[in-house]
């Protein structure tokens, strides 16, 4: 049973560019959450998707947007990249009726 | 507003020592608490999940306790090994929301 998978593993972009990160949830899970982890910090909640809708959002600007597909996989899009967007982006999935989140290995984004 | 604090921020111990990592939270209205391990540059590995109705949970050399009334959890690692070197994070899903609030972690180094 595959766990949460994220792609790509690493990504290098320049300021002003746009990026798309992808996440496939654990089998049987219908909810996907995204987190940003800056170096030396704990992960910060970006948003959560359920039934293809954004259910809750953290304190992140509109440059951060997402999408969930009918197969429950999800994308995180970041527009107009800033140097400060350099971080590890983590995806977590959970199943119906539980708030236990399972995390993927993350995508390391470097903005130059 | 839920805040999670982890003490100490860093810890260096000789191999074989028993050690305790601390996690405190300000809002006791939680329904579980999760401890994670994170190796450098990697994603999160769940170690232990304690439901709000439980007082402790054990897995191998790890034991986690939860005291909701005092807003504290401890992770006890017995007979530490160099392979235990990592950052340990605690996280709580806050009542009424879907997001996890993380502490900033304890960086553990076990010396051979």
């Amino acid at each position: 049973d595959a766990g949460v998978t994220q792609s790509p593993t690493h990504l290098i972009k320049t300021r002003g560019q746009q990026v798309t990160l992808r996440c496939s949830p654990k089998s049987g899970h219908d909810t996907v959450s995204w987190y940003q982890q800056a170096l030396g910090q704990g992960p910060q909640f970006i948003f959560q998707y359920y039934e293809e809708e954004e259910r809750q959002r953290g304190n992140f600007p509109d440059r951060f947007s997402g999408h969930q597909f009918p197969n429950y996989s999800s994308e995180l899009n970041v527009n107009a990249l800033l140097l400060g967007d350099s971080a590890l982006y983590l995806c977590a999935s959970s199943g119906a009726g539980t708030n236990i989140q399972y995390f993927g290995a993350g995508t390391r984004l470097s903005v130059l | 507003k839920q805040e999670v604090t982890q003490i100490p921020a860093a810890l260096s111990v000789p191999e074989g020592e028993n050690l305790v990592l601390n996690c405190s939270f300000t809002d006791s209205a939680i329904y579980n608490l999760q401890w994670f391990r994170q190796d450098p540059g990697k994603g999160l590995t769940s170690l232990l999940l304690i439901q709000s109705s439980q007082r402790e949970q054990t897995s191998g050399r790890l034991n986690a306790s939860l005291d909701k009334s005092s807003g504290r959890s401890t992770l006890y690692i017995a007979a530490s090994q160099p392979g235990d070197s990592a950052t340990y994070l605690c996280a709580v899903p806050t009542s009424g929301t879907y997001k996890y609030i993380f502490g900033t972690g304890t960086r553990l180094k076990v010396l051979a």
Side-chain angles (χ1 to χ4, degrees):
Chain A
D1 174 30
V4 179
T5 58
Q6 293 187 242
S7 63
T9 305
H10 295 92
L11 208 48
I12 299 174
K13 293 285 187 179
T14 56
R15 280 181 297 174
Q17 285 190 313
Q18 178 264 344
V19 68
T20 297
L21 311 181
R22 296 177 176 80
C23 172
S24 292
K26 187 176 169 65
S27 178
H29 286 184
D30 59 4
T31 303
V32 173
S33 303
W34 286 92
Y35 292 80
Q36 179 196 66
Q37 186 179 24
L39 203 60
Q41 301 296 315
Q44 299 289 318
F45 177 79
I46 303 175
F47 41 52
Q48 184 181 87
Y49 276 82
Y50 172 70
E51 293 189 342
E52 302 180 52
E53 295 285 334
E54 182 183 291
R55 179 154 73 173
Q56 186 174 11
R57 189 178 184 89
N59 192 23
F60 279 80
D62 291 345
R63 298 186 297 108
F64 290 77
S65 63
H67 188 77
Q68 185 178 34
F69 299 93
N71 66 353
Y72 307 123
S73 66
S74 177
E75 288 182 349
L76 165 65
N77 300 291
V78 187
N79 295 321
L81 285 167
L82 303 174
L83 296 179
D85 295 332
S86 295
L88 180 67
Y89 288 85
L90 295 163
C91 170
S93 72
S94 51
T98 175
N99 201 10
I100 301 170
Q101 299 188 7
Y102 296 80
F103 285 79
T107 294
R108 171 75 60 188
L109 172 64
S110 298
V111 182
L112 306 178
Chain B
K1 177 188 171 187
Q2 179 73 273
E3 293 182 3
V4 179
T5 305
Q6 291 187 247
I7 295 173
L11 187 60
S12 185
V13 299
E15 183 177 5
E17 274 205 5
N18 301 324
L19 51 100
V20 175
L21 308 182
N22 297 292
C23 171
S24 60
F25 46 93
T26 55
D27 183 353
S28 61
I30 63 171
Y31 30 94
N32 63 59
L33 182 145
Q34 203 161 352
W35 282 93
F36 294 89
R37 169 185 172 137
Q38 186 173 35
D39 293 292
K42 304 295 184 182
L44 305 180
T45 300
S46 179
L47 296 174
L48 288 165
L49 169 76
I50 314 176
Q51 300 288 1
S52 61
S53 58
Q54 297 174 314
R55 283 200 165 265
E56 64 179 60
Q57 195 66 253
T58 298
S59 176
R61 294 182 294 108
L62 305 179
N63 175 276
S65 66
L66 175 63
D67 184 343
K68 279 183 58 177
S69 61
S70 67
R72 291 181 188 175
S73 176
T74 60
L75 179 66
Y76 175 83
I77 303 176
S80 58
Q81 302 171 358
D84 295 330
S85 298
T87 296
Y88 291 81
L89 294 150
C90 67
V92 293
T94 304
S95 177
T97 80
Y98 301 100
K99 63 182 180 181
Y100 272 25
I101 304 296
F102 283 84
T104 52
T106 294
R107 292 188 312 280
L108 172 65
K109 187 168 186 178
V110 180
L111 305 170

